[in-house]
Amino acid sequence: MALIHCPACHARMSDKASSCPNCGVSRSEAGTESAERAVRELRRQKQRMTQMWRLLAMLLFVAGAGLTVMSGGGKSMLGVVGTSLAALGFVGYSALRVHALFSKRR
Ligand SMILES: [Zn+2]
């Protein structure tokens, strides 16, 4: 069994497989209009997911920062939770940005 690249989305797939496990395009219909539409749809779904996660991370950061301010510093339990949430949101948002940068380069 050898690994080849899907002609539509370039994901790795077995040369024994009749259709791509990533985009579902069969090897015989690759390059056709329906195959390209399937790949476009897949890409759009991924973009939507990324946007949703980015929004979630931003909300987490804002909520955490708000909690920190409301608790009046980082000393109280609420402040610690707020700071942690804000940090988590910030790290998550940064990770998504970096991921977007790398996936654009390919
Ligand atoms: Zn594919």
Side-chain angles (χ1 to χ4, degrees):
M1 188 182 95
L3 280 177
I4 59 167
H5 288 276
C6 169
C9 71
H10 304 292
R12 274 193 195 160
M13 61 185 276
S14 160
D15 63 344
K16 298 276 192 296
S18 57
S19 67
C20 171
N22 186 44
C23 65
V25 168
S26 77
R27 282 166 64 192
S28 55
E29 71 173 343
T32 63
E33 206 179 309
S34 71
E36 267 162 37
R37 207 178 302 137
V39 171
R40 260 202 304 272
E41 182 56 35
L42 195 81
R43 210 169 286 160
R44 210 174 298 145
Q45 271 173 15
K46 264 186 197 161
Q47 250 167 21
R48 228 174 274 151
M49 277 295 282
T50 310
Q51 274 168 359
M52 202 193 73
W53 280 113
R54 202 177 282 179
L55 192 73
L56 209 69
M58 220 188 286
L59 278 175
L60 206 65
F61 176 73
V62 170
L67 218 60
T68 308
V69 171
M70 271 199 312
S71 70
K75 296 257 155 57
S76 67
M77 185 66 189
L78 202 65
V80 172
V81 171
T83 311
S84 308
L85 283 182
L88 202 69
F90 183 73
V91 168
Y93 188 77
S94 308
L96 286 169
R97 291 307 301 232
V98 170
H99 179 77
L101 266 178
F102 274 109
S103 52
K104 239 174 236 164
R105 218 170 277 170
R106 267 190 292 154

